[in-house]
Amino acid sequence: NAGVTQTPKFQVLKTGQSMTLQCAQDMNHEYMSWYRQDPGMGLRLIHYSVGAGITDQGEVPNGYNVSRSTTEDFPLRLLSAAPSQTSVYFCASSYYGGRADNEQFFGPGTRLTVL
Amino acid sequence: SQQGEEDPQALSIQEGENATMNCSYKTSINNLQWYRQNSGRGLVHLILIRSNEREKHSGRLRVTLDTSKKSSSLLITASRAADTASYFCATDGFLIQGAQKLVFGQGTRLTINP
């Protein structure tokens, strides 16, 4: 199993540009989520999904969109990048079963810089 | 706001010593998890302790949970250089539309000196 994969590993954007961060998992996990990690801030939840076609907002959803058309994929879209979105982004997945507090499997992260 | 808060923010010890990190949280929980993050990598799950458990062991790791004090501790015994990493606690947050979200603390940066 590849586990959770994320692409790209690094990305530099200019303010106002849009892009999609890709996340895929091959463990048939229902629960998938996106976090951003900033120095001294821990991980903050952006959006999450409990299954195909079901998404919801986390703590810091503004400026980001998600969709979940398949169990495997959970892309994160930045519609108009801003310098405040400079961060490291992590995708995670887990078994769900009605609760999100199961062991999370993390991808390697995408380091995004917005100029 | 963060549900879990780790203490200390940074810890530096000599190889072979024990390392203790603490996590405090605000609301009632079902589970508490600990994760490790090596520099530049994603988080890796270490151990999960349920609210009805008081102590759990996994190899050199020992986790305790005190629900009355809303706190947990992670003890790493006989530390090794490879234990150098950041350690995070994570708790299940409040209910949102039937789902729960996992909330992470800010982490403890552990450095093991040879």
Side-chain angles (χ1 to χ4, degrees):
Chain A
N1 287 351
V4 181
T5 58
Q6 291 183 239
T7 56
K9 285 188 169 57
F10 302 94
Q11 183 70 49
V12 178
L13 293 178
K14 294 181 180 178
T15 296
Q17 286 185 316
S18 63
M19 79 159 297
T20 299
L21 279 63
Q22 301 292 344
C23 174
Q25 52 89 12
D26 60 359
M27 296 172 282
N28 202 31
H29 285 162
E30 306 97 326
Y31 188 86
M32 296 186 74
S33 54
W34 277 101
Y35 293 89
R36 60 176 289 173
Q37 185 176 33
D38 302 294
M41 298 292 291
L43 277 80
R44 291 182 292 170
L45 182 66
I46 304 172
H47 285 284
Y48 67 96
S49 168
V50 298
I54 306 170
T55 64
D56 209 343
Q57 297 180 350
E59 301 170 90
V60 288
N62 292 341
Y64 307 95
N65 276 358
V66 292
S67 60
R68 184 97 178 268
S69 56
T70 66
T71 299
E72 295 78 18
D73 301 298
F74 191 43
L76 178 72
R77 298 185 190 83
L78 283 71
L79 300 178
S80 179
S84 61
Q85 294 178 305
T86 293
S87 188
V88 181
Y89 291 84
F90 289 99
C91 178
S93 74
S94 72
Y95 168 74
Y96 182 52
R99 284 166 50 158
D101 56 353
N102 298 294
E103 176 185 350
Q104 301 287 309
F105 292 81
F106 280 82
T110 293
R111 187 173 295 274
L112 175 67
T113 301
V114 183
L115 303 175
Chain B
S1 62
Q2 301 292 93
Q3 161 77 319
E5 293 185 3
E6 286 91 344
D7 170 60
Q9 292 188 357
L11 179 61
S12 181
I13 62 174
Q14 295 301 119
E15 194 167 16
E17 293 180 339
N18 295 342
T20 300
M21 289 157 273
N22 302 297
C23 169
S24 60
Y25 56 91
K26 299 173 184 174
T27 64
S28 296
I29 59 170
N30 293 306
N31 301 328
L32 185 143
Q33 302 180 47
W34 284 92
Y35 287 80
R36 183 187 73 231
Q37 184 183 33
N38 291 92
S39 181
R41 301 288 192 92
L43 278 71
V44 174
H45 182 264
L46 293 176
I47 198 165
L48 180 151
I49 186 166
R50 303 194 184 282
S51 59
N52 61 354
E53 298 176 312
R54 291 296 168 261
E55 188 171 309
K56 201 163 184 179
H57 297 257
S58 177
R60 293 184 296 113
L61 305 180
R62 173 178 170 254
V63 169
T64 61
L65 179 64
D66 187 335
T67 53
S68 66
K69 295 181 179 178
K70 292 187 169 59
S71 67
S72 173
S73 67
L74 170 66
L75 168 67
I76 304 174
T77 61
S79 63
R80 305 168 181 169
D83 295 328
T84 293
S86 292
Y87 292 82
F88 295 86
C89 67
T91 55
D92 49 331
F94 53 89
L95 202 63
I96 304 175
Q97 296 181 1
Q100 293 176 329
K101 63 179 187 182
L102 199 63
V103 181
F104 287 82
Q106 296 180 0
T108 292
R109 174 69 188 168
L110 175 64
T111 302
I112 308 300
N113 302 305

